[in-house]
Amino acid sequence: MQNYLRAAGIIISACIFGSFATAQEIKTIFASQCHVTAPGQTAAGGVEWAQTSMGLPSAWSYSGADTRTEVAYEFLSGKDAKSRLGEILPGVSNWSTLSVSGFSGIAGTNGTSAILGVQTATRFWIVLSKGADALNVINSVELERDQKAHWMPRTIPGGLQCVLPYGFAPSRRQSDAYELKFGGFEMNLNVQPPNAGSKFDIKKTVNDKVDSYKKNEAYKDVKVKRDRFREISNGEYAIIDFTEGGRKKQYVYLAGEHQGRGIQFSWVYDRSKPELKMISDRLLLTFKTSNAAVMNGASFTVPGSGLSFETPKPMEAVKNEADFQEWSCFTGGTIITTRVLDNTSRIVDNPQGAQFFVAAAQSQAKDAKDFKSEVKPYVVNGVHGQLVKCTWKNGSTPNVRYGLLVSTLEKMYVLDIMSFENGLAEQVLGSVQLVLGNTDKLGTIRTFVGSQLKVAMMDGVESITEPGDGKDYKSVEIMQYVGPGEGVLSSNLMVTMPERSIDQSKMMKNQVEEVGQAAKAKTKILNEGWGSDSKGTGYWVAYEYEINGVKMEGYSYSYVRGSEVLIQTALYITKDQNARGALQMFMNSYKLND
């Protein structure tokens, strides 16, 4: 029963991640999502107003000397949030709407009592606190994200960027501070006002942070690694391994200056979980500066199409018919439009679509200066397409227009972004996900040995399992199909050694070049970049091999989830649209795992 409760996430633990106002305040994570700091000890139940949730406990309470706090989650099912909170705490006359960890919330007070309700993607959280510390308790509430993840390079406050599944949310406890929590990973970012960085004593700040762990009796077996962090000015970092309450954890702390601002960026996680260790290593590998604006948008899915992406504002339907859909939004000088067209007649393939897009942009900018266009291959979740970038100036104002065009056996997908700011366009583009479906028509759905990952593969293809190199990889399993005159399709699963993290971008470029060398081919990398995935991270490479004057198009997509690295590769010889479209669907079949 105890293991069942742990798995259900009823109460994870009462854990302290830093110093609080009083020794009696305890930070507790409820149902693996709701973080609350309140005085007193936590107990399950004791909440008369709570509604049961499918027979599972879903309510908890704190009992402190001067304050009592009650926490529960419910499913509103169309009920008005304000009315429900009013039933629990009558007499509230002052309601306010607010954002809590990026979710919409509503709060109210009545004397020394306060109540907060927050709707996440899966449930409605309610926190009621009565007593002297009621407002502090309500302000302490933070939530782990539970909406669909988009792992992608994200611009975050302070002019920084790294690969994350969600954007940061402003902290409600401190100005110029931001927080992000997901899947047991807890991140904090502090950005000092402009020009305050010159007053920021970086070395002392890092020293003080290290001392706070070494001198705190709650932390055992503290080990510290320090070094320069060269991605930001005067940057330093400390990686602190420690044990708290019998759990092995790691705290990573970065400090430095950027654009006249003092930056403090940190995260803490359970070191016993390899998948969290890989996330931490990936953050360090992908952290860099960025001049792009922060886009805290929401995910949008074109109905019935399998196409989704993030936008700074909700998309609105322009046309929604069986064979043609168009959606758009306008925000602050940026217009985002997506179109999904029936393509069963193969009227428009990717190169033709790119030519039409450039012509349209030229017509739009006919009186402008310095018009330039560039067309490169692009890969979305294993599916190849074309990316068009057009730039020009109206007077001294720069303009960009990006077009992503993906042509498949059934549909033509177009994402059209016009903006004064290419950073926003890049972020929308980097969030795109595509699920083609119809994998039931493609051979056999296969799983790898000892893994839950699935891909579609042609019938009759056998898999080969080999030991890894013993350094980076524990094992390698290969499935490969060769179609004479058509191309090559392969699905490779590599399992990494314990606590071994992989630099995806470096790994992918090395693999493409090593395969080319083995085949004695001339290799040319045409484009590469991070993909967007829900449960893992993607990185793709588009390239060309030339052997004895014969050129082959190549697309490889890596998908890393935990200790498993899946690489999907398609090499095209044929120009036949049916054969190429089938290989696209095989490449995209790994999305069965999302």
Side-chain angles (χ1 to χ4, degrees):
M1 182 63 178
Q2 184 179 10
N3 290 335
Y4 169 75
L5 292 178
R6 287 179 184 273
I10 303 306
I11 297 179
I12 298 230
S13 66
C15 20
I16 302 171
F17 292 104
S19 57
F20 299 96
T22 68
Q24 288 75 36
E25 280 193 331
I26 294 177
K27 180 175 184 176
T28 307
I29 307 172
F30 298 103
S32 304
Q33 185 178 29
C34 185
H35 296 234
V36 182
T37 302
Q41 295 297 319
T42 311
V47 183
E48 293 183 0
W49 50 263
Q51 299 174 352
T52 58
S53 173
M54 296 179 289
L56 292 174
S58 57
W60 308 264
S61 57
Y62 291 82
S63 294
D66 301 315
T67 304
R68 176 174 174 79
T69 300
E70 299 174 349
V71 181
Y73 69 80
E74 299 178 356
F75 304 96
L76 290 179
S77 301
K79 186 183 294 185
D80 179 67
K82 182 177 174 182
S83 299
R84 175 58 182 143
L85 297 181
E87 293 173 357
I88 299 168
L89 182 62
V92 174
S93 58
N94 184 22
W95 293 99
S96 61
T97 57
L98 68 165
S99 177
V100 179
S101 300
F103 297 108
S104 297
I106 182 171
T109 58
N110 179 4
T112 58
S113 299
I115 193 167
L116 170 69
V118 185
Q119 180 65 59
T120 75
T122 59
R123 62 191 83 180
F124 183 66
W125 280 100
I126 302 171
V127 180
L128 171 67
S129 191
K130 299 180 178 181
D133 289 323
L135 287 178
N136 288 334
V137 172
I138 295 299
N139 287 334
S140 78
V141 176
E142 295 175 341
L143 294 159
E144 299 203 13
R145 308 298 177 86
D146 61 357
Q147 62 268 64
K148 181 180 179 181
H150 282 247
W151 282 96
M152 55 180 269
R154 292 179 182 274
T155 300
I156 60 179
L160 310 171
Q161 186 185 86
C162 57
V163 172
L164 289 168
Y166 310 99
F168 273 78
S171 170
R172 295 186 305 120
R173 304 189 78 180
Q174 182 182 347
S175 61
D176 298 315
Y178 306 85
E179 55 90 6
L180 172 61
K181 296 174 176 62
F182 59 92
F185 214 81
E186 183 171 354
M187 307 182 70
N188 290 285
L189 172 65
N190 291 81
V191 182
Q192 292 184 348
N195 301 319
S198 59
K199 306 171 188 176
F200 183 34
D201 190 333
I202 296 169
K203 188 169 291 294
K204 182 179 185 303
T205 301
V206 178
N207 288 341
D208 290 346
K209 186 62 66 174
V210 171
D211 286 344
S212 71
Y213 277 80
K214 287 183 174 180
K215 296 177 180 179
N216 192 325
E217 294 182 357
Y219 305 137
K220 309 296 182 183
D221 305 320
V222 176
K223 296 180 181 178
V224 180
K225 175 186 175 183
R226 291 183 62 165
D227 205 345
R228 292 286 309 279
F229 193 72
R230 304 182 189 282
E231 294 298 328
I232 52 178
S233 179
N234 301 316
E236 291 193 30
Y237 72 86
I239 298 178
I240 305 173
D241 291 331
F242 64 100
T243 302
E244 181 189 21
R247 293 189 175 186
K248 293 182 178 180
K249 297 181 181 180
Q250 186 173 88
Y251 178 80
V252 181
Y253 180 78
L254 312 176
E257 300 171 8
H258 181 55
Q259 297 176 340
R261 298 173 181 263
I263 304 293
Q264 298 177 71
F265 189 23
S266 64
W267 57 88
V268 65
Y269 66 96
D270 188 334
R271 194 159 42 99
S272 66
K273 297 181 179 180
E275 66 274 17
L276 299 185
K277 169 73 163 56
M278 295 189 75
I279 291 173
S280 179
D281 292 345
R282 187 185 306 133
L283 287 171
L284 289 169
L285 285 169
T286 61
F287 186 93
K288 64 180 183 178
T289 59
S290 171
N291 293 322
V294 176
M295 185 186 77
N296 285 325
S299 179
F300 169 74
T301 300
V302 179
S305 72
L307 177 69
S308 66
F309 52 91
E310 291 192 0
T311 65
K313 283 186 65 176
M315 301 286 284
E316 296 182 358
V318 177
K319 203 167 193 177
N320 193 6
E321 299 177 354
D323 59 350
F324 180 78
Q325 294 185 69
E326 182 174 350
W327 299 74
S328 69
C329 77
F330 175 78
T331 174
T334 298
I335 302 174
I336 301 169
T337 305
T338 186
R339 303 176 186 90
V340 179
L341 304 81
D342 177 77
N343 196 38
T344 52
S345 60
R346 317 288 187 272
I347 296 174
V348 180
D349 62 15
N350 291 328
Q352 286 177 317
Q355 292 171 10
F356 295 155
F357 192 93
V358 171
Q362 281 180 315
S363 176
Q364 177 189 0
K366 60 183 179 180
D367 298 322
K369 299 183 295 183
D370 303 323
F371 181 89
K372 296 177 182 178
S373 65
E374 177 184 49
V375 180
K376 285 187 174 184
Y378 197 85
V379 180
V380 180
N381 303 123
V383 182
H384 69 271
Q386 296 280 318
L387 174 63
V388 185
K389 292 185 178 182
C390 300
T391 61
W392 67 91
K393 287 184 178 180
N394 286 329
S396 59
T397 304
N399 289 259
V400 299
R401 185 171 180 182
Y402 284 11
L404 174 62
L405 303 100
V406 178
S407 177
T408 70
L409 288 176
E410 296 183 349
K411 297 181 185 297
M412 179 76 177
Y413 303 89
V414 180
L415 181 61
D416 186 350
I417 309 167
M418 291 182 280
S419 181
F420 299 129
E421 206 269 297
N422 67 336
L424 180 59
E426 295 277 1
Q427 289 181 82
V428 175
L429 182 68
S431 71
V432 175
Q433 293 192 44
L434 182 60
V435 182
L436 294 183
N438 291 332
T439 50
D440 56 327
K441 300 178 182 178
L442 298 177
T444 306
I445 304 301
R446 304 280 291 273
T447 57
F448 294 90
V449 176
S451 172
Q452 294 182 343
L453 292 182
K454 298 179 288 186
V455 295
M457 180 54 71
M458 278 76 166
D459 293 331
V461 173
E462 299 295 330
S463 66
I464 301 173
T465 303
E466 301 175 347
D469 57 13
K471 177 184 175 183
D472 294 322
Y473 303 105
K474 185 165 59 175
S475 63
V476 178
E477 185 175 354
I478 302 168
M479 289 186 279
Q480 188 174 80
Y481 166 81
V482 178
E486 295 179 353
V488 178
L489 175 72
S490 70
S491 295
N492 300 344
L493 181 71
M494 301 178 290
V495 179
T496 61
M497 298 294 288
E499 295 196 8
R500 185 68 173 174
S501 293
I502 301 299
D503 184 336
Q504 275 180 269
S505 61
K506 183 178 179 181
M507 171 195 70
M508 292 298 288
K509 285 183 284 189
N510 287 346
Q511 188 207 42
V512 168
E513 290 169 355
E514 288 170 4
V515 170
Q517 289 172 2
K520 297 182 179 180
K522 294 180 182 178
T523 303
K524 184 179 181 181
I525 293 179
L526 304 175
N527 202 4
E528 61 182 297
W530 287 97
S532 176
D533 278 290
S534 299
K535 296 182 179 178
T537 56
Y539 195 91
W540 57 269
V541 182
Y543 50 97
E544 182 180 87
Y545 288 146
E546 183 176 346
I547 304 175
N548 299 325
V550 178
K551 292 183 178 180
M552 300 177 69
E553 270 177 78
Y555 303 96
S556 292
Y557 193 94
S558 67
Y559 175 74
V560 175
R561 193 171 83 176
S563 61
E564 297 178 318
V565 181
L566 175 65
I567 300 180
Q568 299 279 84
T569 295
L571 297 174
Y572 296 94
I573 299 173
T574 182
K575 296 295 183 183
D576 178 75
Q577 292 297 311
N578 289 320
R580 292 166 66 88
L583 288 179
Q584 282 181 322
M585 296 179 75
F586 279 107
M587 287 283 287
N588 185 250
S589 67
Y590 84 94
K591 292 293 282 182
L592 289 165
N593 302 293
D594 280 355

